[in-house]
Coordinates of all heavy atoms in Angstrom, one line a residue:
M464 N -2.8 17.1 28.9 CA -1.7 17.5 29.8 C -0.6 18.3 28.9 O -0.3 17.9 27.8 CB -1.1 16.4 30.5 CG 0.1 16.8 31.4 SD 0.8 15.4 32.4 CE -0.2 15.7 33.8
K465 N -0.1 19.3 29.5 CA 0.9 20.1 28.8 C 2.2 19.3 28.7 O 2.5 18.5 29.6 CB 1.1 21.4 29.5 CG -0.2 22.2 29.7 CD 0.0 23.5 29.1 CE -1.2 24.4 29.3 NZ -2.5 24.1 28.9
S466 N 3.0 19.6 27.7 CA 4.3 18.9 27.6 C 5.3 19.3 28.6 O 5.2 20.4 29.1 CB 4.8 19.1 26.2 OG 5.3 20.4 26.0
R467 N 6.3 18.5 28.8 CA 7.4 18.9 29.7 C 8.1 20.1 29.2 O 8.5 21.0 30.0 CB 8.4 17.7 29.8 CG 9.7 18.0 30.6 CD 9.4 18.1 32.0 NE 9.1 16.8 32.6 CZ 8.6 16.6 33.8 NH1 8.4 17.6 34.6 NH2 8.3 15.4 34.3
A468 N 8.3 20.3 27.9 CA 9.0 21.5 27.3 C 8.2 22.7 27.6 O 8.7 23.8 27.9 CB 9.1 21.3 25.8
H469 N 6.8 22.6 27.6 CA 6.0 23.8 27.9 C 6.2 24.1 29.4 O 6.3 25.3 29.7 CB 4.5 23.5 27.6 CG 3.6 24.6 28.0 ND1 3.0 24.7 29.2 CD2 3.3 25.7 27.3 CE1 2.3 25.8 29.2 NE2 2.4 26.4 28.1
D470 N 6.2 23.1 30.3 CA 6.4 23.4 31.7 C 7.8 24.1 31.9 O 7.9 25.0 32.7 CB 6.4 22.1 32.5 CG 5.0 21.6 32.7 OD1 4.0 22.3 32.4 OD2 4.8 20.5 33.3
D471 N 8.8 23.6 31.2 CA 10.1 24.2 31.4 C 10.1 25.6 30.9 O 10.7 26.5 31.5 CB 11.2 23.4 30.7 CG 11.4 22.0 31.3 OD1 11.1 21.8 32.5 OD2 12.0 21.1 30.6
A472 N 9.5 25.9 29.8 CA 9.4 27.3 29.2 C 8.7 28.2 30.2 O 9.1 29.3 30.4 CB 8.8 27.2 27.8
M473 N 7.6 27.7 30.7 CA 6.8 28.5 31.6 C 7.6 28.8 32.9 O 7.6 29.9 33.5 CB 5.4 27.9 31.9 CG 4.5 27.9 30.7 SD 4.3 29.5 29.9 CE 3.5 30.4 31.2
A474 N 8.3 27.8 33.4 CA 9.1 27.9 34.6 C 10.2 29.0 34.4 O 10.4 29.8 35.2 CB 9.8 26.6 35.0
E475 N 10.8 29.0 33.2 CA 11.8 30.0 32.9 C 11.2 31.4 32.8 O 11.8 32.3 33.4 CB 12.5 29.6 31.5 CG 13.6 30.6 31.2 CD 14.3 30.2 29.9 OE1 14.2 29.0 29.5 OE2 14.9 31.1 29.3
L476 N 10.0 31.5 32.2 CA 9.3 32.8 32.2 C 9.0 33.3 33.6 O 9.2 34.5 33.9 CB 8.1 32.6 31.3 CG 7.2 33.9 31.1 CD1 8.0 35.0 30.4 CD2 5.9 33.5 30.4
Y477 N 8.5 32.4 34.4 CA 8.1 32.8 35.8 C 9.4 33.2 36.6 O 9.3 34.1 37.4 CB 7.3 31.7 36.5 CG 6.0 31.4 35.9 CD1 5.5 30.1 36.0 CD2 5.2 32.4 35.2 CE1 4.2 29.8 35.4 CE2 4.0 32.1 34.7 CZ 3.5 30.8 34.8 OH 2.3 30.5 34.2
S478 N 10.5 32.5 36.3 CA 11.7 32.8 37.0 C 12.2 34.2 36.7 O 12.7 35.0 37.5 CB 12.8 31.8 36.7 OG 14.0 32.1 37.3
K479 N 12.1 34.6 35.4 CA 12.5 35.9 34.9 C 11.5 37.0 35.3 O 12.0 38.2 35.4 CB 12.7 35.9 33.4 CG 13.8 35.0 32.9 CD 13.9 35.0 31.4 CE 15.1 34.2 30.9 NZ 15.1 34.1 29.5
D480 N 10.3 36.7 35.5 CA 9.3 37.7 35.8 C 8.3 37.2 36.9 O 7.2 36.8 36.6 CB 8.5 38.0 34.5 CG 7.6 39.3 34.6 OD1 7.5 39.8 35.8 OD2 7.1 39.7 33.6
P481 N 8.7 37.2 38.1 CA 7.9 36.7 39.2 C 6.5 37.5 39.3 O 5.5 36.9 39.7 CB 8.7 36.9 40.5 CG 10.1 37.0 40.0 CD 10.0 37.6 38.6
E482 N 6.5 38.7 39.0 CA 5.3 39.5 39.0 C 4.3 38.9 38.0 O 3.1 38.8 38.3 CB 5.5 41.0 38.7 CG 4.3 41.8 38.7 CD 3.4 41.8 40.0 OE1 4.0 41.5 41.0 OE2 2.2 42.1 39.9
F483 N 4.7 38.5 36.9 CA 3.8 37.9 35.9 C 3.3 36.6 36.5 O 2.1 36.3 36.3 CB 4.6 37.6 34.6 CG 3.8 36.9 33.5 CD1 2.6 37.5 33.0 CD2 4.1 35.6 33.2 CE1 1.9 36.8 32.0 CE2 3.3 34.9 32.3 CZ 2.2 35.5 31.7
A484 N 4.1 35.8 37.1 CA 3.6 34.6 37.8 C 2.5 34.9 38.7 O 1.5 34.2 38.8 CB 4.8 33.9 38.4
R485 N 2.7 35.9 39.5 CA 1.7 36.3 40.5 C 0.4 36.7 39.8 O -0.7 36.3 40.2 CB 2.2 37.4 41.4 CG 1.3 37.7 42.6 CD 1.8 38.9 43.4 NE 1.7 40.1 42.6 CZ 0.6 40.8 42.4 NH1 -0.6 40.3 42.9 NH2 0.5 41.9 41.7
Q486 N 0.5 37.4 38.7 CA -0.7 37.8 38.0 C -1.4 36.6 37.4 O -2.6 36.6 37.4 CB -0.3 38.8 36.9 CG 0.2 40.2 37.4 CD 0.8 41.1 36.3 OE1 0.8 40.7 35.2 NE2 1.2 42.3 36.7
V487 N -0.7 35.7 36.9 CA -1.3 34.5 36.3 C -2.1 33.7 37.4 O -3.3 33.4 37.2 CB -0.3 33.5 35.7 CG1 -0.9 32.2 35.3 CG2 0.4 34.2 34.5
I488 N -1.5 33.6 38.6 CA -2.3 32.9 39.7 C -3.5 33.7 40.0 O -4.6 33.1 40.2 CB -1.4 32.7 40.9 CG1 -0.4 31.6 40.7 CG2 -2.2 32.4 42.2 CD1 0.6 31.4 41.8
N489 N -3.4 35.0 40.2 CA -4.5 35.8 40.5 C -5.6 35.8 39.5 O -6.8 35.7 39.8 CB -4.1 37.3 40.8 CG -3.5 37.4 42.2 OD1 -3.9 36.7 43.1 ND2 -2.6 38.4 42.4
S490 N -5.2 35.7 38.2 CA -6.2 35.7 37.2 C -7.0 34.4 37.2 O -8.2 34.4 37.0 CB -5.6 35.9 35.8 OG -4.9 34.8 35.4
I491 N -6.3 33.3 37.5 CA -7.0 32.0 37.7 C -8.0 32.0 38.9 O -9.1 31.6 38.8 CB -6.0 30.8 37.8 CG1 -5.2 30.7 36.5 CG2 -6.7 29.5 38.2 CD1 -4.0 29.8 36.7
L492 N -7.5 32.6 40.0 CA -8.3 32.6 41.2 C -9.5 33.6 41.1 O -10.6 33.3 41.6 CB -7.5 33.1 42.4 CG -6.4 32.1 42.9 CD1 -5.5 32.7 43.9 CD2 -7.1 30.8 43.4
E493 N -9.3 34.7 40.3 CA -10.4 35.6 40.1 C -11.4 35.2 39.1 O -12.6 35.7 39.1 CB -9.8 37.0 39.7 CG -9.0 37.6 40.9 CD -8.2 38.8 40.4 OE1 -8.3 39.2 39.2 OE2 -7.5 39.4 41.3
D494 N -11.1 34.3 38.2 CA -12.0 33.8 37.2 C -13.1 32.9 37.9 O -12.8 31.9 38.5 CB -11.3 33.0 36.2 CG -12.1 32.4 35.0 OD1 -13.4 32.6 35.1 OD2 -11.6 31.9 34.1
E495 N -14.4 33.3 37.8 CA -15.4 32.5 38.4 C -15.5 31.1 37.9 O -16.1 30.2 38.5 CB -16.8 33.2 38.3 CG -17.3 33.4 36.9 CD -18.5 34.3 36.8 OE1 -18.5 35.4 37.4 OE2 -19.5 33.8 36.2
N496 N -14.9 30.8 36.7 CA -14.9 29.5 36.2 C -13.5 28.9 36.3 O -13.1 28.0 35.5 CB -15.3 29.5 34.7 CG -16.8 29.9 34.6 OD1 -17.6 29.5 35.3 ND2 -17.0 30.8 33.6
G497 N -12.7 29.5 37.2 CA -11.3 29.1 37.4 C -11.1 27.6 37.5 O -11.9 26.9 38.2
D498 N -10.1 27.1 36.9 CA -9.9 25.6 36.9 C -8.8 25.3 37.9 O -7.6 25.8 37.8 CB -9.4 25.3 35.5 CG -9.1 23.8 35.3 OD1 -9.1 23.0 36.3 OD2 -8.9 23.4 34.2
Q499 N -9.1 24.5 38.9 CA -8.2 24.1 40.0 C -7.0 23.4 39.4 O -5.9 23.6 39.8 CB -8.9 23.3 41.0 CG -7.9 22.9 42.1 CD -8.6 22.1 43.3 OE1 -9.6 22.6 43.7 NE2 -8.0 21.1 43.8
G500 N -7.2 22.5 38.4 CA -6.1 21.8 37.8 C -5.1 22.8 37.1 O -3.9 22.6 37.2
E501 N -5.7 23.8 36.5 CA -4.8 24.8 35.8 C -4.0 25.5 36.9 O -2.8 25.8 36.7 CB -5.7 25.8 35.1 CG -4.9 26.9 34.3 CD -5.7 27.9 33.6 OE1 -7.0 27.8 33.7 OE2 -5.2 28.7 32.9
L502 N -4.6 25.9 38.0 CA -3.9 26.6 39.1 C -2.8 25.7 39.6 O -1.6 26.2 39.8 CB -4.9 26.9 40.2 CG -4.3 27.5 41.5 CD1 -3.7 28.9 41.2 CD2 -5.3 27.5 42.6
L503 N -3.0 24.4 39.8 CA -2.0 23.5 40.3 C -0.8 23.3 39.3 O 0.3 23.2 39.7 CB -2.6 22.2 40.7 CG -3.6 22.3 41.9 CD1 -4.3 21.0 42.1 CD2 -3.0 22.8 43.1
I504 N -1.1 23.3 38.0 CA -0.1 23.2 37.0 C 0.8 24.5 37.1 O 2.0 24.4 37.1 CB -0.7 23.0 35.6 CG1 -1.3 21.6 35.5 CG2 0.4 23.3 34.5 CD1 -2.1 21.4 34.2
V505 N 0.2 25.6 37.2 CA 0.9 26.9 37.3 C 1.8 26.9 38.5 O 3.0 27.2 38.5 CB 0.0 28.1 37.2 CG1 0.8 29.4 37.6 CG2 -0.6 28.2 35.9
L506 N 1.3 26.4 39.6 CA 2.1 26.3 40.9 C 3.2 25.3 40.7 O 4.3 25.6 41.2 CB 1.2 25.9 42.1 CG 0.3 27.0 42.6 CD1 -0.7 26.4 43.6 CD2 1.0 28.2 43.1
R507 N 3.0 24.2 40.0 CA 4.1 23.3 39.8 C 5.2 24.0 38.9 O 6.4 23.9 39.2 CB 3.6 22.0 39.1 CG 4.7 21.0 39.0 CD 4.3 19.7 38.3 NE 3.9 19.9 36.9 CZ 2.7 19.7 36.3 NH1 1.8 19.2 37.0 NH2 2.6 20.0 35.1
Q508 N 4.8 24.7 37.9 CA 5.8 25.4 37.1 C 6.5 26.5 37.9 O 7.7 26.7 37.7 CB 5.0 26.1 35.9 CG 4.5 25.0 34.9 CD 3.4 25.6 33.9 OE1 2.9 26.7 34.1 NE2 3.2 24.9 32.9
M509 N 5.8 27.1 38.7 CA 6.4 28.1 39.6 C 7.4 27.5 40.6 O 8.5 28.1 40.9 CB 5.4 28.9 40.3 CG 4.6 29.9 39.4 SD 3.3 30.8 40.3 CE 4.3 31.7 41.5
A510 N 7.1 26.3 41.1 CA 8.0 25.7 42.0 C 9.3 25.4 41.3 O 10.4 25.6 41.8 CB 7.4 24.4 42.5
K511 N 9.2 25.0 40.0 CA 10.4 24.7 39.2 C 11.2 26.0 39.1 O 12.4 26.1 39.1 CB 10.1 24.2 37.8 CG 9.6 22.8 37.9 CD 9.3 22.3 36.5 CE 10.5 22.0 35.7 NZ 10.3 21.3 34.4
A512 N 10.5 27.2 38.9 CA 11.1 28.5 38.7 C 11.8 29.0 40.0 O 12.8 29.6 39.9 CB 10.1 29.5 38.2
F513 N 11.2 28.7 41.1 CA 11.7 29.3 42.3 C 12.4 28.3 43.2 O 12.0 28.0 44.3 CB 10.5 29.9 43.1 CG 9.9 31.0 42.4 CD1 8.6 30.9 41.8 CD2 10.5 32.3 42.2 CE1 8.0 31.9 41.0 CE2 9.9 33.3 41.5 CZ 8.7 33.1 40.9
G514 N 13.5 27.8 42.6 CA 14.4 26.9 43.4 C 14.2 25.4 43.1 O 15.0 24.6 43.6
G515 N 13.2 25.0 42.4 CA 13.0 23.6 42.1 C 12.0 23.0 43.0 O 11.8 23.5 44.1
V516 N 11.3 21.9 42.5 CA 10.3 21.3 43.3 C 10.8 20.7 44.6 O 10.2 20.8 45.6 CB 9.6 20.2 42.4 CG1 8.5 19.5 43.2 CG2 9.0 20.8 41.2
Q517 N 12.0 20.2 44.6 CA 12.6 19.6 45.8 C 12.8 20.7 46.9 O 12.4 20.5 48.0 CB 13.9 18.8 45.6 CG 14.4 18.2 46.8 CD 15.4 17.1 46.5 OE1 15.6 16.7 45.4 NE2 16.1 16.7 47.6
A518 N 13.3 21.8 46.5 CA 13.5 22.9 47.4 C 12.2 23.4 48.0 O 12.1 23.7 49.2 CB 14.3 24.0 46.7
V519 N 11.2 23.6 47.1 CA 9.9 24.0 47.6 C 9.3 23.0 48.6 O 8.8 23.3 49.6 CB 8.9 24.3 46.4 CG1 7.5 24.5 46.9 CG2 9.4 25.5 45.6
A520 N 9.4 21.7 48.2 CA 8.9 20.6 49.1 C 9.6 20.7 50.5 O 8.9 20.7 51.5 CB 9.2 19.3 48.5
E521 N 10.9 20.9 50.5 CA 11.6 21.0 51.8 C 11.2 22.3 52.6 O 10.9 22.2 53.8 CB 13.1 21.1 51.5 CG 13.7 19.8 51.1 CD 15.2 19.9 50.6 OE1 15.8 21.0 50.7 OE2 15.7 18.9 50.1
Q522 N 11.0 23.4 51.9 CA 10.6 24.6 52.6 C 9.2 24.6 53.1 O 8.8 25.2 54.1 CB 10.8 25.8 51.7 CG 12.3 26.1 51.4 CD 12.4 27.3 50.4 OE1 11.6 28.1 50.2 NE2 13.6 27.3 49.7
A523 N 8.3 23.8 52.3 CA 6.9 23.7 52.7 C 6.7 22.5 53.7 O 5.6 22.3 54.1 CB 6.1 23.4 51.5
H524 N 7.8 21.8 54.0 CA 7.7 20.6 55.0 C 6.8 19.6 54.4 O 6.0 19.0 55.1 CB 7.3 21.1 56.4 CG 8.2 22.1 56.9 ND1 9.5 21.9 57.3 CD2 8.0 23.4 57.2 CE1 10.1 23.0 57.8 NE2 9.2 23.9 57.7
L525 N 6.9 19.3 53.1 CA 6.2 18.2 52.4 C 7.2 17.3 51.8 O 8.3 17.8 51.4 CB 5.3 18.8 51.3 CG 4.2 19.8 51.8 CD1 3.6 20.4 50.5 CD2 3.2 19.1 52.6
N526 N 6.9 16.0 51.7 CA 7.8 15.2 51.0 C 7.6 15.4 49.5 O 6.6 15.8 49.1 CB 7.8 13.7 51.5 CG 6.5 13.0 51.0 OD1 6.2 13.0 49.8 ND2 5.9 12.3 51.9
L527 N 8.6 15.0 48.7 CA 8.6 15.3 47.3 C 7.5 14.7 46.6 O 6.8 15.3 45.8 CB 10.0 14.9 46.7 CG 10.3 15.3 45.3 CD1 10.2 16.8 45.1 CD2 11.6 14.8 44.9
T528 N 7.2 13.4 46.9 CA 6.1 12.7 46.3 C 4.8 13.3 46.6 O 3.9 13.5 45.7 CB 6.1 11.2 46.8 OG1 7.4 10.6 46.4 CG2 5.0 10.4 46.1
Q529 N 4.6 13.7 47.9 CA 3.4 14.4 48.3 C 3.2 15.7 47.5 O 2.1 16.1 47.0 CB 3.4 14.7 49.8 CG 2.2 15.4 50.3 CD 2.3 15.7 51.8 OE1 3.4 15.6 52.4 NE2 1.2 16.2 52.4
L530 N 4.3 16.5 47.3 CA 4.2 17.7 46.6 C 3.8 17.5 45.1 O 3.0 18.2 44.6 CB 5.5 18.5 46.7 CG 5.5 19.9 46.0 CD1 4.4 20.8 46.6 CD2 6.8 20.6 46.1
Y531 N 4.5 16.5 44.5 CA 4.1 16.2 43.1 C 2.7 15.8 43.0 O 2.0 16.2 42.0 CB 5.0 15.1 42.5 CG 6.3 15.6 42.0 CD1 7.5 15.3 42.5 CD2 6.3 16.4 40.8 CE1 8.7 15.8 42.0 CE2 7.5 16.9 40.3 CZ 8.7 16.5 40.9 OH 9.9 17.0 40.3
R532 N 2.2 15.0 43.9 CA 0.7 14.6 43.9 C -0.2 15.8 44.1 O -1.2 16.0 43.4 CB 0.4 13.6 44.9 CG 0.9 12.2 44.5 CD 0.3 11.2 45.5 NE 1.1 9.9 45.4 CZ 1.6 9.2 46.4 NH1 1.4 9.6 47.6 NH2 2.2 8.1 46.2
T533 N 0.2 16.7 45.0 CA -0.6 17.8 45.3 C -0.7 18.8 44.2 O -1.7 19.3 43.9 CB 0.0 18.6 46.6 OG1 0.0 17.7 47.7 CG2 -0.7 19.9 46.9
L534 N 0.4 18.9 43.4 CA 0.5 19.9 42.3 C 0.1 19.2 41.0 O 0.4 19.8 39.9 CB 1.8 20.6 42.2 CG 2.2 21.4 43.5 CD1 3.5 22.1 43.3 CD2 1.1 22.5 43.7
S535 N -0.4 18.0 41.0 CA -0.8 17.4 39.7 C -2.2 18.0 39.4 O -2.9 18.6 40.3 CB -1.0 15.9 39.9 OG -2.1 15.6 40.7
P536 N -2.6 17.9 38.1 CA -3.9 18.5 37.7 C -5.1 17.9 38.5 O -6.1 18.6 38.7 CB -4.0 18.1 36.3 CG -2.6 18.0 35.8 CD -1.9 17.4 37.0
E537 N -4.9 16.7 39.1 CA -6.0 16.1 39.9 C -5.8 16.3 41.4 O -6.6 15.8 42.2 CB -6.0 14.6 39.6 CG -6.4 14.2 38.2 CD -5.2 14.2 37.3 OE1 -4.0 14.1 37.7 OE2 -5.4 14.5 36.1
G538 N -4.8 17.0 41.7 CA -4.5 17.3 43.1 C -5.6 18.1 43.8 O -6.4 18.8 43.2
N539 N -5.7 17.9 45.1 CA -6.7 18.6 45.9 C -6.0 19.0 47.3 O -6.3 18.3 48.3 CB -7.9 17.7 46.1 CG -9.1 18.5 46.7 OD1 -9.1 19.8 46.7 ND2 -10.1 17.8 47.2
P540 N -5.1 20.0 47.2 CA -4.4 20.3 48.4 C -5.2 20.8 49.6 O -6.2 21.5 49.3 CB -3.4 21.3 48.0 CG -4.0 22.0 46.8 CD -4.8 20.9 46.1
A541 N -4.9 20.4 50.8 CA -5.5 21.0 52.0 C -5.0 22.5 52.0 O -4.0 22.8 51.5 CB -5.0 20.3 53.2
L542 N -5.8 23.3 52.7 CA -5.4 24.7 52.8 C -4.1 24.9 53.4 O -3.3 25.7 53.0 CB -6.5 25.5 53.6 CG -6.3 27.0 53.7 CD1 -6.2 27.7 52.4 CD2 -7.4 27.6 54.6
S543 N -3.7 24.1 54.4 CA -2.4 24.2 55.1 C -1.3 23.9 54.1 O -0.3 24.6 54.1 CB -2.4 23.3 56.3 OG -2.6 21.9 55.9
S544 N -1.5 22.9 53.2 CA -0.4 22.5 52.2 C -0.3 23.7 51.2 O 0.8 24.1 50.8 CB -0.8 21.2 51.5 OG -0.7 20.2 52.4
F545 N -1.5 24.1 50.7 CA -1.5 25.2 49.7 C -0.8 26.4 50.3 O 0.1 27.0 49.6 CB -3.0 25.5 49.4 CG -3.1 26.5 48.2 CD1 -2.7 26.2 47.0 CD2 -3.8 27.7 48.4 CE1 -2.8 27.1 45.9 CE2 -4.0 28.6 47.4 CZ -3.5 28.3 46.1
S546 N -1.1 26.8 51.5 CA -0.4 28.0 52.1 C 1.0 27.8 52.3 O 1.8 28.7 52.0 CB -1.1 28.3 53.5 OG -2.4 28.7 53.3
A547 N 1.5 26.6 52.7 CA 2.9 26.3 52.9 C 3.6 26.3 51.5 O 4.8 26.8 51.5 CB 3.0 24.9 53.5
I548 N 3.0 25.8 50.5 CA 3.6 25.9 49.1 C 3.8 27.3 48.7 O 4.9 27.7 48.2 CB 2.8 25.0 48.1 CG1 2.8 23.6 48.5 CG2 3.3 25.3 46.7 CD1 1.8 22.7 47.8
L549 N 2.8 28.1 48.8 CA 2.9 29.5 48.5 C 3.9 30.2 49.3 O 4.7 31.0 48.8 CB 1.5 30.2 48.7 CG 0.4 29.8 47.7 CD1 -0.9 30.5 48.1 CD2 0.8 30.2 46.3
K550 N 4.0 30.0 50.6 CA 5.0 30.6 51.5 C 6.4 30.2 51.0 O 7.3 31.1 51.0 CB 4.7 30.2 52.9 CG 5.7 30.9 53.9 CD 5.3 30.5 55.3 CE 6.3 31.1 56.3 NZ 6.1 30.7 57.7
A551 N 6.6 29.0 50.6 CA 7.9 28.5 50.2 C 8.3 29.3 48.9 O 9.5 29.4 48.6 CB 7.9 27.0 49.9
M552 N 7.4 29.8 48.2 CA 7.7 30.6 47.0 C 7.6 32.1 47.2 O 7.6 32.9 46.3 CB 6.7 30.2 45.8 CG 7.0 28.8 45.4 SD 6.1 28.3 43.9 CE 4.5 27.9 44.6
G553 N 7.5 32.5 48.5 CA 7.4 33.9 48.8 C 6.1 34.5 48.6 O 6.0 35.8 48.4
L554 N 5.0 33.7 48.6 CA 3.7 34.3 48.3 C 2.8 33.9 49.5 O 3.1 33.1 50.3 CB 3.1 33.6 47.0 CG 3.9 33.9 45.8 CD1 3.4 33.0 44.6 CD2 3.9 35.3 45.4
R555 N 1.6 34.5 49.5 CA 0.6 34.1 50.5 C -0.8 34.3 50.0 O -1.0 35.1 49.0 CB 0.8 35.0 51.8 CG 0.5 36.4 51.6 CD 0.7 37.2 52.9 NE 0.7 38.6 52.7 CZ -0.4 39.4 52.6 NH1 -1.5 38.9 52.8 NH2 -0.3 40.7 52.4
L556 N -1.8 33.7 50.6 CA -3.2 33.9 50.3 C -3.6 35.2 50.8 O -3.1 35.7 51.9 CB -4.0 32.8 50.8 CG -3.9 31.4 50.2 CD1 -4.7 30.4 51.0 CD2 -4.4 31.5 48.8
S557 N -4.6 35.8 50.2 CA -5.2 37.1 50.6 C -6.6 37.1 50.3 O -7.0 36.6 49.2 CB -4.4 38.3 50.0 OG -5.0 39.5 50.3
V558 N -7.4 37.8 51.1 CA -8.8 37.9 50.8 C -9.1 39.4 50.5 O -8.6 40.3 51.1 CB -9.7 37.6 52.1 CG1 -11.2 37.8 51.8 CG2 -9.4 36.1 52.5
Q559 N -9.8 39.6 49.3 CA -10.0 40.9 48.8 C -11.5 41.0 48.6 O -12.2 40.0 48.2 CB -9.3 41.1 47.5 CG -7.8 40.9 47.5 CD -7.1 42.0 48.3 OE1 -7.6 43.2 48.3 NE2 -6.1 41.7 49.1
P560 N -12.1 42.2 48.7 CA -13.5 42.4 48.4 C -13.7 42.2 46.9 O -12.8 42.5 46.1 CB -13.8 43.8 48.8 CG -12.5 44.5 48.9 CD -11.5 43.5 49.1
M561 N -14.9 41.6 46.5 CA -15.1 41.4 45.1 C -15.4 42.7 44.4 O -15.1 42.8 43.2 CB -16.3 40.5 44.9 CG -16.0 39.0 45.4 SD -17.4 37.9 45.2 CE -17.5 37.8 43.5
H562 N -16.0 43.6 45.1 CA -16.3 44.9 44.5 C -15.9 46.0 45.4 O -15.9 45.8 46.6 CB -17.8 45.1 44.2 CG -18.4 44.0 43.4 ND1 -18.1 43.9 42.0 CD2 -19.1 42.9 43.7 CE1 -18.7 42.8 41.5 NE2 -19.3 42.2 42.5
A563 N -15.5 47.2 44.9 CA -15.1 48.3 45.7 C -16.4 48.8 46.5 O -17.5 48.8 45.9 CB -14.6 49.4 44.9
P564 N -16.2 49.1 47.7 CA -17.4 49.6 48.5 C -18.0 50.9 47.8 O -17.2 51.7 47.3 CB -16.9 50.0 49.9 CG -15.5 49.4 49.9 CD -15.0 49.1 48.5
A565 N -19.3 51.0 47.9 CA -19.9 52.2 47.3 C -19.6 53.4 48.1 O -19.5 53.4 49.3 CB -21.4 52.0 47.3
A566 N -19.3 54.5 47.3 CA -19.0 55.8 48.0 C -20.3 56.4 48.6 O -21.4 56.2 48.1 CB -18.5 56.8 46.9
H567 N -20.1 57.0 49.8 CA -21.3 57.6 50.5 C -21.5 59.0 50.1 O -20.7 59.8 49.8 CB -21.1 57.5 52.0 CG -21.1 56.1 52.5 ND1 -22.2 55.4 52.8 CD2 -20.1 55.2 52.6 CE1 -21.9 54.2 53.2 NE2 -20.6 54.0 53.1

């Protein structure tokens, strides 16, 4: 598990550069070997960056303990919780084609 200092440093980085945070999430999601635990750690760090975990929990209509459990490396959020957490941080899920359609 990453140290608290690392989480704080990443939260600060994501706070200063929200586009980088979005790119990190997308790179994890696009990796065919993407690690769900890694994704949840990044989301926890982002929650700290975007108003704090308590503020994200309130906006996502989740209790604080539930959000911490959800965003733990062993968490397994329901799609509704995952979407609510992203929405609280000003993000949303999107479906994209894996490959560009072939030109005719």
